[in-house]
Structure formats: structure tokens, C-alpha cells
DNA sequence: TAGCACCTATAGCAACGCTATATGAAGTGC
DNA sequence: GCACTTCATATAGCGTTGCTATAGGTGCTA
């Protein structure tokens, strides 16, 4: 149909799959649709991508580049937590702009099998949270914070996708976003518990130091010392109460 | 196989589908599997349930009864926000106990088509949040709070399901849960200064941790460990590198 | 007994993901 | 220039999927 041009079949398959995925209104996309649109036959698909999932993975990888590009463009504002907010909003916007692609990336859940793209997104957020941790702005270890925020981010995006476009209320996103960021940040005023603030200064400092040490591979400690040091820091920063 | 008994075919189909769904390790469940296990042929299924999705909806309805029963059993503790916590935990536990059924209920996302079960779960949570609102414990309208909490709840549960069982860290759930509940509750102290954020460096963090550790005699480390730990902190905090 | 819903089985369709096999094109060594 | 390998694509078809057109059996009411 559209890709009779001189592009190599592999590229045509990728484009055809991406376009069909973007335009398929919720319905599944078949390999026959893809190959027909790409102007090739079935074995070509399996020669280049192994199977259908392989093709989709490749499409997702391209989509993920776009996603990451959106994340990185806004990156350095100097205020890591503000950057996390923008990462969150960018995540939601990506999901709403390309719901089908997003569902392939984040919605294709199967038990005990984690898509690589989720781990990548998690790493991206953890990276940013590390900066916040170094600045002493984090209440919990960056990895746990990233997992928690990303889980909420995906949940909100999926819920927004299921809503019809005109009814979408993005306040759901901003509210949940700020709730999560506030929860992991150390700037909260903890007036509930009297002993809570005393403990939190230890934890915040330990988390900050831990992040800082891992970021700038320090040479003040020998490697064996560093290893033990980090183990202790982990024990402190993951302890629930003192 | 197992349902040659005298139960009506409709019931046998429901049970067969439920059992196959519960035991299928992530893979899809075919109508032929279901009908064979139920001891009937294909048209029987379509006579009673219309199509495959109709059968699954019926299974989900039964599963949802179980889910709701779990939610309601714990309901009246007098503290609505505490009940919300239990609803959250019950939701997560339900998802981890019956991941396949949960995925059919909450993971089968398609754009602009919201499963009825999601609306029901939302209503259930909103109902409970209404009590909190009446008691003046809510910061936002119950409906928005319910949507926000449920979105995060689903996101966390989906993320936990994708993890292999032995590695599951339920702290992700409790942390996100408390963050969301705290965010919608009116008990938060909203007075936190815009700055008060320190500098970012290993040295500052080490100094902060050092002071904090000495202030609150931590018992996470033995005294000999603490001595060495403090010595290292001193080495770090007196060095000039960033 | 006749008629009438209701329920189930036989048999098979179109579409699915995927592949065994064969054919063409492009390079490589002699 | 020619055999040889390698890569890339096509022909044809396998087994399975969700689903159905048609017909037959069953039990109830008249």
C-alpha cells in the first residue's frame, strides 16, 4: 500500500507496525496486516525479528527513544524534584499521545515477566532521584522512591487512557504526582510524630551520603572499606524506626 | 476431565474457566481448553455467554464478589482512613493471590473502554472515603481521592505482579499507600519553607549524617562498628573533594 | 400426541502466528 | 568466468484460534 518505496524491508516493517499500532483502535494488530502494509511476506518478518513480539519490541525500542528524549530534554533545571515532576508529566503525556504504543510498553503485563522498558524507565527515574538524594532532598532510598513513583505514574496513566478523551481530568495526575513526590521528599513537615523528625535526619543524611558516594566513586576509602561502609549505610537507610 | 458430574453446563464452564485462568502461567486460555475441561462443546459456551469475553466477564463478576467480600469484611473500624489502608492492602493481596484473574479485571486495558469492575472498585473506595470526608478528615473531594488512590493501588499491584514472587517487596505498597492517604487527608501540616535545602556534596551529607548519628544514639550498628564508621565519616568530611 | 422453547452437538469457516522449503541476488575464491 | 556460500525474500501450508450455520435432542404445556 504505502511503503512500496525503496526503503529496506526491515524499515518498512517497523514503520508499518508502528503506524498500525498507532491507528488500531484498541484492536489487536496481526502480522498479516503488518506484512501486507509493508509490502512483504510473512517469512521476511520472522527473518528479521524472530517473531511478532520481537517486532513489537523493536517498535517499542524506537518509541522508548522518543520517550527518553522527552524526559531528557527537560532534565537539568537545578531542582531535581522539579525535574521529577516534569518526568511524571512527560510520562503521562506520552501515554495519552500514543496510547497503543504505551499499552504495548507498559500495559502488556504478564505475571513474573517484567518488560525491559519498565526497568529502563525505572532506571531513568532513579537516576534523577539520585540527584535529589545527593542534595539531601530524599526521605527514602532513590531506588525505592523510583519504583514507588513509577508505579503510581503508570497506574494514573493507564487509568487516564481508559477514559474517553474529552472527560480526562488531568488533575488526577498532578494530585497523585505531588502526593508521591512529597512523600519521598525530606522537606515535609512531620508534625504527626514527635520522634519521627529525629529519626528522619539520620535517614536523610545516610541516604544522601550513600547516593553521593555511589555517584562520585570516592577515593577516600579503599574498595573493601567502601563496600562495608555502603553495607552499613544501607542498613541505616532502610531501617524503619530507631 | 473433572466436571463430568451433574452440574449444569453453565456452571461447569464458569468453574473450568476460573480454574484454567488461575493456573495458566501467564499464557492465554483458549475456548477449546475451557470447553474440553467443562465437558461441553463450543456452541454451548456461546449460547450461554455470547463470546469469550462474556465468559470472562462472568468469571470476573464472581471474582469481584470475592474481592468485595474481602473489602467489606474489614470495613467498620471507626477510623475511615484506617479502613482505606486495609482496602488497599486487600486489593494488593487479591492481585498477588490471583494474578491471572486480577489481570483480567484490572490489566486488560484498552483505550477509551473502561471495564465495569474498575468503576465498581472506585465506587467502593469512594464510599469509604465519604465517611472520612464526613468526619472532616479529607483534603479533597472523595471522588477525586478515590480515583487517585485506586490508580496508585492498581499501578503498585501491577508492578508487584510483574516481579517474581520471592523478590516482591511489599514495602513498595505500604509506602505508596501511606503517601496517597496522607496526601488526601487533612491532617497534614502544610507549612514547609520554600528553601531549607542544603548543598549537595559528599562532605555536607557526611557532616549531617555524622551529627545525626551522634545525636540519636543509633542501635543499628554495634559500638565497634560505629567507631569505625565515625572515623570514616570524619575522613570523608574533612577531605576537600566534592 | 402435537407443538414449542430451550439447550447441546456436528462440522466447519476465516483468521491467526508461524515455518519447511525453495528461489533469487550478492558477494568470494580460484 | 565459474562454482560456492550467504543473505533475503517468496510459495505454500501447518496447527490453533474465536466463533457459527445448521440440525437434533430434551422436557414442558396443551
Amino acid at each position: 500500500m504505502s511503503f512500496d518505496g525503496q526503503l529496506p524491508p526491515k524499515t518498512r516493517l517497523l514503520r508499518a507496525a508502528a503506524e498500525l499500532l498507532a491507528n488500531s483502535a484498541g484492536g489487536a494488530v496481526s502480522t498479516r496486516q503488518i506484512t501486507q502494509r509493508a509490502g512483504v511476506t510473512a517469512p521476511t518478518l520472522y527473518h528479521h525479528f524472530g517473531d511478532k513480539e520481537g517486532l513489537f519490541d523493536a517498535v517499542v525500542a524506537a518509541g522508548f527513544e522518543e520517550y527518553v528524549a522527552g524526559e531528557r530534554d527537560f532534565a537539568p533545571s537545578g531542582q531535581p524534584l522539579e525535574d521529577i515532576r516534569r518526568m511524571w508529566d512527560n510520562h503521562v503525556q506520552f501515554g495519552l499521545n500514543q496510547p497503543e504504543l504505551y499499552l504495548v510498553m507498559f500495559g502488556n503485563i504478564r505475571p513474573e515477566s517484567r518488560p525491559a522498558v519498565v526497568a529502563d524507565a525505572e532506571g531513568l527515574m532513579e537516576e534523577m532521584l539520585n540527584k535529589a538524594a545527593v542534595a539531601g532532598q530524599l526521605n527514602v532510598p532513590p531506588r525505592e522512591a523510583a519504583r514507588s513513583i513509577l508505579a503510581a505514574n503508570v497506574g494514573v496513566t493507564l487509568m487516564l487512557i481508559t477514559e474517553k478523551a474529552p472527560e480526562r481530568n488531568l488533575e488526577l495526575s498532578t494530585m497523585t504526582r505531588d502526593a508521591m513526590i512529597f512523600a519521598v521528599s525530606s522537606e515535609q513537615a512531620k508534625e504527626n510524630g514527635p520522634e519521627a523528625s529525629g529519626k528522619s535526619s539520620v535517614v536523610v543524611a545516610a541516604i544522601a551520603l550513600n547516593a553521593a558516594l555511589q555517584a562520585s566513586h570516592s577515593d577516600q576509602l579503599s574498595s573493601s572499606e567502601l563496600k562495608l561502609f555502603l553495607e552499613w549505610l544501607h542498613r541505616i537507610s532502610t531501617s524503619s524506626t530507631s
Side-chain angles (χ1 to χ4, degrees), chain A:
Chain A
M1 287 271 187
S2 315
F3 293 111
D4 313 341
Q6 46 278 72
L7 292 83
K10 188 170 180 177
T11 308
R12 285 186 295 180
L13 278 168
L14 275 174
R15 291 203 188 178
E19 295 191 7
L20 285 173
L21 218 44
N23 300 346
S24 79
V29 178
S30 72
T31 59
R32 281 176 171 81
Q33 282 179 283
I34 297 171
T35 54
Q36 179 183 343
R37 186 180 181 102
V40 297
T41 50
T44 305
L45 190 162
Y46 296 93
H47 173 71
H48 287 290
F49 299 100
D51 60 356
K52 185 184 184 181
E53 197 174 328
L55 209 192
F56 280 26
D57 283 349
V59 174
V60 161
F64 189 70
E65 290 305 317
E66 184 184 344
Y67 168 79
V68 169
E71 300 284 40
R72 292 212 190 275
D73 278 355
F74 293 112
S77 83
Q79 295 181 325
L81 290 183
E82 197 54 39
D83 291 338
I84 295 288
R85 274 193 185 78
R86 286 201 279 235
M87 286 186 74
W88 176 292
D89 291 343
N90 182 66
H91 182 115
V92 171
Q93 212 54 50
F94 179 82
L96 293 184
N97 285 344
Q98 312 210 12
E100 315 290 343
L101 185 54
Y102 183 86
L103 288 180
V104 172
M105 291 169 67
F106 291 95
N108 202 11
I109 310 284
R110 285 174 312 177
E112 308 207 352
S113 96
R114 157 181 289 254
V117 65
V118 175
D120 291 346
E122 213 174 297
L124 216 61
M125 184 156 282
E126 183 182 344
E127 195 177 307
M128 182 60 67
L129 281 168
N130 239 335
K131 298 181 186 174
V134 170
Q137 297 177 329
L138 233 55
N139 205 8
V140 292
R143 171 154 300 151
E144 274 66 30
R147 281 166 46 77
S148 190
I149 293 176
L150 187 65
N153 204 352
V154 170
V156 163
T157 306
L158 288 178
M159 176 159 286
L160 284 176
I161 285 179
T162 65
E163 290 180 8
K164 297 187 199 304
E167 304 174 4
R168 275 177 195 148
N169 183 4
L170 284 166
E171 207 170 341
L172 166 68
S173 172
T174 64
M175 173 181 156
T176 314
R177 178 197 69 188
D178 292 342
M180 293 309 304
I181 293 179
F182 180 76
V184 303
S185 93
S186 58
E187 291 176 3
Q188 37 183 305
K190 295 200 169 190
E191 305 209 356
N192 320 355
E195 38 72 43
S197 62
K199 155 222 155 185
S200 81
S201 67
V202 181
V203 173
V204 169
I207 288 169
L209 181 57
N210 197 349
L213 275 177
Q214 287 178 325
S216 68
H217 33 66
S218 157
D219 54 350
Q220 280 110 32
L221 302 178
S222 76
S223 66
S224 60
E225 283 176 334
L226 183 60
K227 188 181 171 190
L228 186 53
F229 191 28
L230 290 177
E231 181 191 328
W232 290 354
L233 281 175
H234 187 257
R235 270 160 65 186
I236 293 176
S237 60
T238 56
S239 75
S240 52
T241 318
S242 61

